[in-house]
């Protein structure tokens, strides 16, 4: 598989190291880390949390949510937290004792096979990746493939105070998102959770993407971020070799959240 890796550019590396260092300095012991591997529902969860925190009846855009909800290693770490309570900091990074302290952690996971399907469509649409190849090329890729998810999960699992499955967010949203609110100490009753979920639906997020001007500049103009948001898509793409590889990774990393 061919794709451009910005990590090979010295200027990019220096910029990211500076952002990581500054982000570490801004971390407060009360901040909560929201650890997500890419395509495990980070945008959906952050939209929901933004809607819970604001309680606004208006529809938020991607630009508004991304500006208000900080991401580790991103300039949003250096803007004031606009809400009461602990700051909620998203990261896609694996755990690192150099970058992260002893903050509370919420970890969200998804069936790794569905991650590959969603990540493939995303990578094909993001211009800066310039990815070529099939989904099977992606599955075995050392940087973007399936094993990096398992490594990410293994790094955060011992530190996570709350682990959320993407599929439970889909199948039992009131209970699953209610559990997130309880862990984060957010005062939200069933009515508030239902209202926030309505404003975070797939259609609402598609509308929010259309209203956003900054968040998708580097994507194909036809790209739809909230594509399907369904489970089990992997069954259309995984052959026996890929399934064997998945089972081997489950055994290697002691991963038993999915069959």
């Amino acid at each position: 598989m061919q794709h451009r890796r910005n990590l090979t550019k010295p200027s990019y590396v220096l910029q990211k190291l500076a952002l990581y260092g500054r982000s570490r300095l801004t971390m407060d012991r009360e901040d909560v880390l929201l650890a997500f591997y890419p395509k495990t529902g980070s945008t959906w969860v952050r939209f929901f949390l933004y809607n819970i925190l604001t309680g606004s009846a208006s529809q938020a855009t991607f630009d508004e949510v991304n500006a208000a909800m900080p991401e580790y290693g991103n300039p949003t770490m250096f803007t004031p937290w606009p809400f009461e309570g602990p700051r909620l900091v998203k990261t896609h990074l694996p755990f690192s004792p150099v970058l992260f302290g002893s903050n509370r952690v919420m970890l969200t996971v998804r069936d790794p096979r569905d991650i590959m399907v969603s990540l493939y469509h995303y990578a094909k649409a993001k211009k800066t990746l310039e990815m070529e190849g099939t989904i099977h090329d992606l599955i075995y890729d050392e940087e973007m493939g399936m094993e990096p998810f398992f490594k990410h999960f293994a790094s955060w699992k011992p530190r996570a105070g709350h682990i959320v499955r993407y599929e439970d967010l889909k199948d039992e949203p009131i209970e699953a998102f209610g559990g997130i609110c309880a862990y984060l100490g957010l005062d939200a009753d069933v009515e508030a959770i239902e209202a926030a979920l309505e404003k975070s639906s797939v259609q609402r997020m598609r509308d929010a993407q259309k209203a956003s001007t900054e968040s998708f500049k580097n994507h194909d103009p036809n790209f739809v971020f909230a594509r399907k948001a369904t489970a089990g898509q992997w069954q259309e793409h995984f052959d026996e070799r890929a399934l064997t590889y998945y089972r081997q990774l489950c055994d290697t990393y002691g991963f038993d959240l999915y069959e």
Side-chain angles (χ1 to χ4, degrees), residues 9-24:
K9 300 180 179 180
S11 60
Y12 177 83
V13 172
L14 291 174
Q15 180 185 33
K16 293 305 292 186
L17 288 175
L19 285 171
Y20 290 153
R22 289 182 62 198
S23 295
R24 182 69 180 89

Side-chain angles (χ1 to χ4, degrees), residues 8 16 19 50-51 90-91 109 115 138 146 164 227 250:
T8 61
K16 293 305 292 186
L19 285 171
Y50 180 86
N51 288 322
K90 163 197 166 183
T91 183
V109 300
I115 291 175
L138 175 65
M146 197 153 45
V164 184
R227 193 176 60 88
C250 287

Side-chain angles (χ1 to χ4, degrees), residues 115-130:
I115 291 175
M116 291 296 100
V117 178
S118 185
L119 186 58
Y120 176 71
H121 288 282
Y122 176 79
K124 293 288 281 187
K126 190 163 185 178
K127 297 176 183 178
T128 54
L129 289 177
E130 295 185 344

Side-chain angles (χ1 to χ4, degrees), residues 97-114:
V98 175
L99 296 179
F100 303 109
S102 57
N103 298 75
R104 286 194 298 143
V105 176
M106 184 186 86
L107 173 63
T108 303
V109 300
R110 185 181 185 182
D111 189 318
R113 296 163 292 186
D114 278 331

